[in-house]
Amino acid sequence: MSVITLHPGSVSLAELETIYRDGAAARLDDSFRPKVAASARRISEIAAGNVAVYGVNTGFGKLASVRIPPADVTTLQRNLILSHCCGYGAPLAREIVRLIMALKLISVGHGASGVQPETVAMLEALLEKDVTPVIPEQGSVGASGDLAPLAHMTAVMLGEGEAFYRGERLPGGEALEKAGLKPISLAAKEGLALINGTQVSTALALAGLFNAHRLANAALITGAMSTDAALGSSTPFHPEIHTLRGHKGQIDTSAALWKLLQGSQMRDSHLEGDERVQDPYCIRCQPQVDGACLDILRNVAVTLRTEANAVTDNPLVLSDGSVVSGGNFHAEPVSFAADQIALAVCEIGAIAQRRIALLVDPALSFGLPAFLAKKPGLNSGMMIAEVTSAALMSENKQMAHPASVDSTPTSANQEDHVSMACHGARRLLRMTANLAGILGVEALTAAQGIDLRRPLETSGELQKAHAAIRRAVPELEVDRYMSRDIAAAAELVSSGALNASVNAAILPQLDSRPATM
């Protein structure tokens, strides 16, 4: 297992994606440990004193006016965690939970949260030993942080709750014991530091971002293949057209489409006798639509990288030693980011679905047989595969409604405006899975269309993409059980294998400016 060394404030998207996709462990860079220890000492001093400081020697939320004696501070933190373990629903996936723990390490690693070095070490050990807390997916409104899900994470550190270890779901204490770890005890404020924060929402949004960017690039490949299969023109992808408009995403996506289609015999084969002057928008306007989506994803990447590197609990130990309450736990930036990703995912799928519909319709596909069947009538071909893509597209449209506008007051009106970031980000997992299905169907229809145009050949790059599809799914000769084909094509897309089949330099990167910390 590889290990990523975290430098809070400058952790890159690439490092976070490695933790998410490859299961890398993470540890705090040693240079940050003295500040962590110093903030813990400062909290200890306050807990032993007479001045009331929220969350250190007081109750929480609406109970902040209740003073807690020094002898009860540890009990206060344990009670906080257990009382907040109110999650509901299925467990979050292992890769999401590991990213959550890495993000929490980054946040407390700044040395403004007052956690003990032993607590940092426990987070590192859970990642190293592959102990994955069971975190129910529902229960956060993204207000005072992701309270319930982060409480389930923290409970395992105390030997409570549940965790997965070596494929087995176990009581938290048993999972720690089998991994050779011992539960920790929380000192003053530590429970609050661990459950305040946006790490669950941010991890889910980052997963949505990483998946969406991979699929956006796959859509350029399947879109270029559909363009060739439909005998569409590549002229609308001419670089100067897009430079004249100036949007970076549009320029980059048009360049990718232009390069992917270079050398295609199909592109020029229809010029004589073709009365079409222009292709439909789903072919011609790919750079304008997919490019706008790429711009959204790149802008969101800046927001989420900043949030991943942020301190988002409360109260915070400031540089002068004061401990001050604020509201960094409010996940509004993440909620807006998730809503924007949802819009991009929805639109990439919507325009791709129209290309599928074009290819299966003999009135639009310029000479291809109905539903891409070699003997239409006797065979239905891709008829219902197109319907499935429409169903997935419609689901994504329904889920694209913004979550960020759906605030509701909670906690006896103390938390009277909430972000809804957590489920707003969680829906991205389902939406990107749906998009993978749509693009999987487009991969099948485009590859079938290219097969039906033989002996004409597509471009060299698209021949490599076509070969990758054909290794996963054979050409459709007669009707067969199609669900497995769609699943295999969707996996080819979602795994990144389709993207890997072409020259990596062609596909746009998820660029982002440095986080400002």
Side-chain angles (χ1 to χ4, degrees), residues 402-424:
S404 57
V405 300
D406 191 28
S407 177
T408 187
T410 61
S411 296
N413 278 301
Q414 178 73 8
E415 297 164 8
D416 59 353
H417 182 278
V418 302
S419 72
M420 299 299 182
C422 198
H423 70 259

Side-chain angles (χ1 to χ4, degrees), residues 20-80:
Y20 170 62
R21 294 211 185 278
D22 301 338
R27 66 180 303 277
L28 185 65
D29 184 79
D30 289 342
S31 64
F32 290 84
R33 297 181 192 275
K35 194 172 182 182
V36 169
S39 72
R41 288 194 297 271
R42 178 61 182 138
I43 292 297
S44 180
E45 292 169 0
I46 293 171
N50 296 318
V51 178
V53 176
Y54 173 72
V56 177
N57 50 18
T58 72
F60 307 105
K62 199 73 171 180
L63 302 175
S65 60
V66 179
R67 185 68 184 274
I68 307 299
D72 292 334
V73 164
T74 299
T75 302
L76 172 71
Q77 298 300 313
R78 184 179 183 85
N79 288 349
L80 173 70

